[in-house]
């Protein structure tokens, strides 16, 4: 009898705590609609947490598709203030389909883990040659640590592709092509060994040199693309490691450019199941009319495609490194898409196919870049197929899903 009374008392004492915890939760009903006439797969659904009405610091969540199927999600602190800003998950929607998601936001931490869909790392070499993980690094503009950073800057990947961002005034986006879907960077660190190559690992597939690679933002002097220099400081960091997306940033302070001094951040977001990058550019002050450029490298002997409305692509074959004995030529397809409202005009310099871009009076613009390697067992084998894909890719981007938080 005493045991039963104790059990009842324990339940009575615990229930207010349970009720209080549940009362602090925020429940959302979110409708995601694909208004396009084609199916969408692995589409990012991003919820701005400051628009949800949650009155607490969100530490975890539960996302249910149509009320029953649990969906993997990610919470991101984008400005490093120790409070999460966005919740993101991926959804598949048929043409003209609407799906409903029930999202429970909680102030309680959770030990729940989801299968990684992305990977990111940034490594610096110590005196013994050991590669030490770092998350962020800031240097004076007069310094050069390009060769102290393994793979020369942050590297990041989805199951389909891998990228790296150079830590220098070029800030070039370089690419790693895969034979098979999967993750390779943690094991090979962008430089596969002979044994790993024999096992079917991919490799660096583009010699970017002084070009914009695939989608790197550059300055423009009226005749050619220019590097981002001089600057007071350069910072590169990994903002998010997954499991749904990885976010990498490059930030410059005091960039002396076209009569202005700019503080600029480029943010690169790669989602699981995607080969394309969302590249966002933020400025601390509104632009006065400064002109920049981006596009794709003119790969040696490449054929190119442009719709003259912000989409540019190429397909070409060249050696990916200077060693032309050990390594074979690689064939790649590259593409960049800039929303037309930011486009000034289409231009060309020796190493690049480009558009000049601006956003006068604003502190933000964005563009997208993507690539394929012909070695992919899951990719594209002919330039015609690649150019057809990038046209549909642009159309897909121009028809985003609508996200509605229902009251």
């Amino acid at each position: 009898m005493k045991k039963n009374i104790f059990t009842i008392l324990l339940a009575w004492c615990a229930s207010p705590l349970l009720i209080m915890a549940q009362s602090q939760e925020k429940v959302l009903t979110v409708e995601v609609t694909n208004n396009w006439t084609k199916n969408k797969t692995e589409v990012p659904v991003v919820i701005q947490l400051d628009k949800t009405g949650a009155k607490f610091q969100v530490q975890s969540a539960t996302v249910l598709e149509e009320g029953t199927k649990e969906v993997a999600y990610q919470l991101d602190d984008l400005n490093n203030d120790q409070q999460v800003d966005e919740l993101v998950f991926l959804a598949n929607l048929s043409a003209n389909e609407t799906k409903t998601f029930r999202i429970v936001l909680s102030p309680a931490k959770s030990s729940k883990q989801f299968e990684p869909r992305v990977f990111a790392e940034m490594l610096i070499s110590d005196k013994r040659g050991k590669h030490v993980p770092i998350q962020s690094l800031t240097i004076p503009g007069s310094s050069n640590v390009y060769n102290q950073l393994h793979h020369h800057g942050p590297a990041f990947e989805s199951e389909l592709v891998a990228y790296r961002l150079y830590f220098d005034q070029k800030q070039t986006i370089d690419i790693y092509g895969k034979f098979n879907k999967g993750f390779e960077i943690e094991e090979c660190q962008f430089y596969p060994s002979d044994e790993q190559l024999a096992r079917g690992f991919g490799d660096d597939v583009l010699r970017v040199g002084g070009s914009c690679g695939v989608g790197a933002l550059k300055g423009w002097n009226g005749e050619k693309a220019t590097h981002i220099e001089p600057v007071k400081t350069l910072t590169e960091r990994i903002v998010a490691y997954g499991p749904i997306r990885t976010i990498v940033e490059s930030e410059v302070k005091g960039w002396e450019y076209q009569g202005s001094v700019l503080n600029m951040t480029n943010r690169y977001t790669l989602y699981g199941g995607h080969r394309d990058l969302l590249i966002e550019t933020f400025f601390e002050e509104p632009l006065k009319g400064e002109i920049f450029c981006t596009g794709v490298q003119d790969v040696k002997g490449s054929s190119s495609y442009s719709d003259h409305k912000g989409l540019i692509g190429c397909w070409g074959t060249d050696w990916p490194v200077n060693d032309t004995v050990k390594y074979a030529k690689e064939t790649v397809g590259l593409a960049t898409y800039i929303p037309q409202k930011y486009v000034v005009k289409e231009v060309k310099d020796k190493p690049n196919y480009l558009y000049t871009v601006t956003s006068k009076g604003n502190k933000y613009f964005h563009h997208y870049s993507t690539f394929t390697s012909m070695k992919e067992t899951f990719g594209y084998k002919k330039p015609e197929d690649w150019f057809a894909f990038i046209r549909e890719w642009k159309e897909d981007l121009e028809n985003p899903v609508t996200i509605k938080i229902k009251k």
Side-chain angles (χ1 to χ4, degrees):
M1 181 66 179
K2 290 182 178 180
K3 181 177 180 181
N4 291 338
I5 293 173
F6 176 77
T7 303
I8 293 170
L9 287 173
L10 182 63
W12 182 83
C13 292
S15 59
L17 297 176
L18 178 62
I19 292 170
M20 184 173 65
Q22 290 176 335
S23 68
Q24 288 182 326
E25 293 179 341
K26 179 71 176 180
V27 180
L28 309 174
T29 299
V30 177
E31 286 186 348
V32 182
T33 301
N34 175 17
N35 300 294
W36 199 27
T37 56
K38 299 179 182 179
N39 298 342
K40 282 181 172 285
T41 59
E42 309 276 26
V43 60
V45 179
V46 181
I47 306 296
Q48 308 290 332
L49 293 177
D50 62 356
K51 297 179 180 179
T52 64
K55 303 299 183 182
F56 50 83
Q57 293 189 29
V58 178
Q59 300 282 350
S60 65
T62 300
V63 180
L64 298 175
E65 179 180 322
E66 303 297 347
T68 57
K69 179 184 176 183
E70 186 169 11
V71 176
Y73 72 90
Q74 178 173 328
L75 294 168
D76 288 323
D77 172 10
L78 300 178
N79 57 4
N80 198 32
D81 66 353
Q82 308 307 306
Q83 297 187 37
V84 294
D85 303 296
E86 293 182 348
L87 179 146
V88 60
F89 58 93
L90 300 173
N92 298 321
L93 295 113
S94 300
N96 301 308
E97 181 183 20
T98 296
K99 284 186 176 180
T100 301
F101 296 84
R102 185 175 187 269
I103 300 175
V104 182
L105 304 175
S106 172
K109 293 183 179 180
S110 172
S111 59
K112 186 182 299 181
Q113 293 184 333
F114 298 104
E115 180 181 357
R117 302 293 309 279
V118 292
F119 175 79
E121 69 176 11
M122 191 173 175
L123 305 170
I124 195 165
S125 300
D126 64 17
K127 292 181 178 180
R128 297 169 294 176
K130 183 179 179 181
H131 306 311
V132 181
I134 58 174
Q135 185 171 350
S136 179
L137 179 65
T138 299
I139 62 169
S142 57
S143 297
N144 185 341
V145 296
Y146 178 83
N147 289 317
Q148 280 71 48
L149 288 170
H150 195 60
H151 44 63
H152 303 307
F156 48 106
E157 66 178 331
S158 69
E159 306 97 319
L160 282 70
V161 294
Y163 296 88
R164 63 176 169 180
L165 178 64
Y166 282 175
F167 199 119
D168 63 6
Q169 75 279 12
K170 298 190 296 292
Q171 297 187 37
T172 310
I173 305 170
D174 196 12
I175 56 176
Y176 177 108
K178 303 179 183 184
F179 285 100
N180 303 298
K181 293 181 181 180
F183 296 109
E184 301 183 8
I185 299 304
E186 184 174 17
E187 182 176 346
C188 78
Q189 296 179 344
F190 222 91
Y191 303 110
S193 65
D194 291 344
E195 183 272 333
Q196 289 167 335
L197 291 170
R199 284 197 280 128
F201 271 53
D203 206 347
D204 187 344
V205 291
L206 186 65
R207 180 169 51 181
V208 295
S211 75
C212 71
V214 54
L217 186 73
K218 296 286 188 178
W220 177 253
N221 68 4
E223 296 181 354
K224 64 180 182 179
T226 61
H227 300 321
I228 299 175
E229 59 181 349
V231 300
K232 186 175 182 180
T233 62
L234 168 62
T235 301
E236 291 190 0
R237 65 175 72 92
I238 299 174
V239 176
Y241 288 84
I244 305 301
R245 65 181 179 183
T246 178
I247 302 173
V248 173
E249 289 184 344
S250 175
E251 176 187 78
V252 292
K253 297 283 190 180
W255 180 20
E256 298 175 20
Y257 182 67
Q258 293 186 357
S260 298
V261 179
L262 304 177
N263 295 330
M264 178 182 75
T265 299
N266 298 122
R267 177 180 293 167
Y268 308 86
T269 303
L270 176 64
Y271 288 92
H274 283 244
R275 62 170 70 245
D276 58 334
L277 285 177
L278 165 62
I279 305 170
E280 299 175 279
T281 303
F282 303 85
F283 299 90
E284 284 193 2
E285 300 294 334
L287 292 171
K288 303 181 184 70
E290 297 87 346
I291 304 296
F292 311 89
C293 69
T294 189
V296 295
Q297 180 177 342
D298 180 356
V299 182
K300 186 176 181 180
S302 66
S303 56
S304 66
Y305 170 82
S306 173
D307 70 353
H308 311 298
K309 296 179 180 180
L311 179 65
I312 188 71
C314 83
W315 179 277
T317 304
D318 196 9
W319 277 284
V321 292
N322 293 328
D323 186 345
T324 60
V325 176
K326 180 179 178 181
Y327 295 92
K329 288 185 175 181
E330 298 280 359
T331 299
V332 296
L334 314 176
T336 290
Y337 163 58
I338 306 105
Q340 197 168 2
K341 64 182 177 179
Y342 303 129
V343 171
V344 179
K345 64 178 180 178
E346 188 171 353
V347 293
K348 175 80 172 71
D349 66 5
K350 186 175 180 180
N352 303 296
Y353 301 103
L354 299 165
Y355 285 95
T356 54
V357 299
T358 193
S359 187
K360 185 177 180 179
N362 298 304
K363 298 192 288 185
Y364 173 87
F365 58 79
H366 70 277
H367 65 286
Y368 306 86
S369 288
T370 190
F371 82 93
T372 188
S373 167
M374 200 171 74
K375 66 172 57 176
E376 295 170 353
T377 57
F378 51 88
Y380 303 88
K381 304 300 181 184
K382 298 184 297 184
E384 297 83 5
D385 294 339
W386 175 244
F387 296 147
F389 165 76
I390 66 173
R391 286 192 293 270
E392 186 168 326
W393 169 62
K394 174 184 175 179
E395 189 180 1
D396 183 36
L397 292 170
E398 290 183 334
N399 288 276
V401 297
T402 57
I403 302 168
K404 182 180 179 180
I405 301 177
K406 297 185 68 176
K407 293 184 179 179

